[in-house]
Amino acid sequence: MKNLIIASTSTVHGGTYLSYILPRLETFFAKTDEILFIPYARPGGISHDEYTEAVRKGFESTGKKITGIHTCADPVKAVNEAKAVFTGGGNTFLLVSQLYRTGIMEPLREAVWNGTRYFGTSAGANITGLTMQTTNDMPIIYPPSFKTLGLVPFNINPHYLDPLPGSKHMGETRETRIKEFHKQNTQPVVGLREGSWLYVEGDDITLEGALAARIFEQGKAPYELESGNRLNFWPSVRKDL
Amino acid sequence: MKNLIIASTSTVHGGTYLSYILPRLETFFAKTDEILFIPYARPGGISHDEYTEAVRKGFESTGKKITGIHTCADPVKAVNEAKAVFTGGGNTFLLVSQLYRTGIMEPLREAVWNGTRYFGTSAGANITGLTMQTTNDMPIIYPPSFKTLGLVPFNINPHYLDPLPGSKHMGETRETRIKEFHKQNTQPVVGLREGSWLYVEGDDITLEGALAARIFEQGKAPYELESGNRLNFWPSVRKDL
């Protein structure tokens, strides 16, 4: 059975790395003492080692062992044998390119469908959707495909941002961008504000955390989903599993 | 000889479509009475016809004839025979996909290198660069390539936005995104603030309009270029033409 936490961000304003969500992660990862970390989206300026070290520090109080997948000779084997996986944020185009290049996109999908617990923040949350096409990131590298893990039957927009009142900037708001997405694509989009996450347990998907989420369905007006409510109104794309 | 106006935006806050730049366009297009309009980036919710009509209205006082390329049976022929071209804004992924699909990417490049006057706003400005990889747009469609017209030896970031003072949002600033771009790519990036544009005349590239531009070169601290100054410190990528 699928078990995922899909989080808008790793860090909320004023907090430290993962601090806002750590109590929830202790429950979520209670039955495992090891987490495989995927640093491929790494933000500019730091190495995979440094990124993994930051994650170790974030999880320090939990006593979990964190292994960076970049240190594994066979990344596919590492995914297949992982007890739990965490994919951190950075740039989604880079992350998706690396997941394809290393051959772990499909093994990771299979592992999570088969029960390996998965936690993702930002870019690592975005890839749990059907495609990466509602990322906010800059296309700094050309990935072989925009298709992602499809672990939920919709797309994720992490770091969801409401329009700024009184802004004089003429660039599109996030809502306008997602409306444009729906001119070309049919799947719903879940806009996750910073500090909120989705908890996926099999076919049940619950919004948790501090804030409401904004839901976009093609041909409907966007609407709010309050924390604590389920997103179980869409049929799962892979009910058979 | 190349002649381009590469503008951050079609509209500034409080103005009407193209109003802020119309006096400059009258000089730029003084010797032509016809402009071929490329509406392929069209923003969500309007048709190519409606978009072309908005452009006609914007240019109304100039007396120019505006033809939407979507009404031409042979778009390649339309580009080859055009006296001048205007590409409007919308979504850059959509625009680039359509330029490849209709087969006009290469003919458009050749036409402008050979002297057809070109004006582009937002997405239409972005595609004059080496690649579309410093767009701000959402990847709503998968284009066959990120390579664009390469009419200037750098990339464009339209609607350039300075960091918002006091923001509590944890998403990347524009500057951070462009720094991430430079972890993967070497070409310089010109961040064009709304209300400014580049005027390209052969190898001479001048910043015009109300505001300074922000220049990003790999391995250097970003810096400001004041309006009225030239961007002639890079060798042209196609000096031979």
Side-chain angles (χ1 to χ4, degrees), chain A residues 11 13 45 133 136 138-144 146 159 161 164 168-171 177 181 183-185 194, chain B residues 11 13 45 94 133 136 138-144 146 159 161 164 168-171 177 181 183 185 194:
Chain A
T11 314
H13 184 76
Q133 291 177 267
N136 312 307
M138 208 170 244
I140 62 174
I141 189 167
Y142 186 70
F146 284 161
H159 300 283
L161 193 60
L164 295 172
K168 293 181 179 174
H169 189 68
M170 303 302 288
R177 292 169 194 276
F181 170 78
K183 296 286 165 194
Q184 304 290 329
N185 304 273
E194 293 175 348
Chain B
T11 314
H13 184 75
L94 187 54
Q133 291 176 267
N136 311 307
M138 209 170 244
I140 62 174
I141 189 167
Y142 186 72
F146 283 162
H159 300 282
L161 193 60
L164 295 171
K168 293 181 178 174
H169 189 68
M170 303 301 290
R177 291 169 194 277
F181 171 79
K183 296 286 167 194
N185 304 274
E194 293 175 347

Side-chain angles (χ1 to χ4, degrees), chain A residues 1-2 106 108-115 149-151 201-204 236-241:
Chain A
M1 191 175 72
K2 283 185 295 178
E106 188 57 32
L108 182 57
R109 175 189 288 125
E110 288 306 314
V112 181
W113 274 95
N114 291 321
L149 296 168
L151 295 166
E201 191 181 20
D203 279 345
D204 291 330
S236 169
V237 283
R238 286 177 66 173
K239 268 276 190 215
D240 53 308
L241 288 180

Side-chain angles (χ1 to χ4, degrees), chain B residues 26-175:
Chain B
E26 294 204 62
T27 323
F28 183 69
F29 287 130
K31 290 180 185 163
T32 177
D33 50 5
E34 284 182 41
I35 300 170
L36 181 69
F37 175 58
I38 300 178
Y40 293 152
R42 66 160 159 191
I46 64 168
S47 66
H48 288 153
D49 278 348
E50 287 164 333
Y51 196 8
T52 306
E53 201 45 49
V55 171
R56 260 184 214 121
K57 206 174 159 195
F59 275 101
E60 201 163 38
S61 65
T62 68
K64 308 289 178 199
K65 186 187 167 199
I66 308 290
T67 304
I69 195 171
H70 66 289
T71 64
C72 303
D74 183 344
V76 173
K77 189 163 168 264
V79 166
N80 289 338
E81 293 177 356
K83 295 180 181 171
V85 173
F86 168 39
T87 307
N91 183 287
T92 310
F93 291 86
L94 187 54
L95 173 59
V96 169
S97 297
Q98 292 282 90
L99 291 177
Y100 279 113
R101 198 183 62 77
T102 55
I104 66 168
M105 184 69 91
E106 188 58 32
L108 182 57
R109 177 189 287 125
E110 289 304 314
V112 182
W113 274 95
N114 291 321
T116 303
R117 289 191 169 233
Y118 180 93
F119 168 49
T121 60
S122 194
N126 192 283
I127 60 163
T128 64
L130 293 169
T131 74
M132 57 163 285
Q133 291 176 267
T134 47
T135 177
N136 311 307
D137 294 339
M138 209 170 244
I140 62 174
I141 189 167
Y142 186 72
S145 169
F146 283 162
K147 283 189 190 166
T148 46
L149 295 169
L151 295 166
V152 289
F154 46 81
N155 268 29
I156 305 287
N157 179 250
H159 300 282
Y160 183 77
L161 193 60
D162 293 292
L164 295 171
S167 171
K168 293 181 178 174
H169 189 68
M170 303 301 290
E172 296 87 352
T173 64
R174 191 69 56 82
E175 183 160 320

Side-chain angles (χ1 to χ4, degrees), chain A residues 47-74:
Chain A
S47 67
H48 288 154
D49 278 348
E50 287 165 332
Y51 196 7
T52 305
E53 201 46 48
V55 170
R56 257 183 217 123
K57 206 175 159 193
F59 275 101
E60 201 163 39
S61 64
T62 69
K64 308 290 179 199
K65 186 189 168 198
I66 308 290
T67 305
I69 195 170
H70 65 289
T71 64
C72 303
D74 183 344

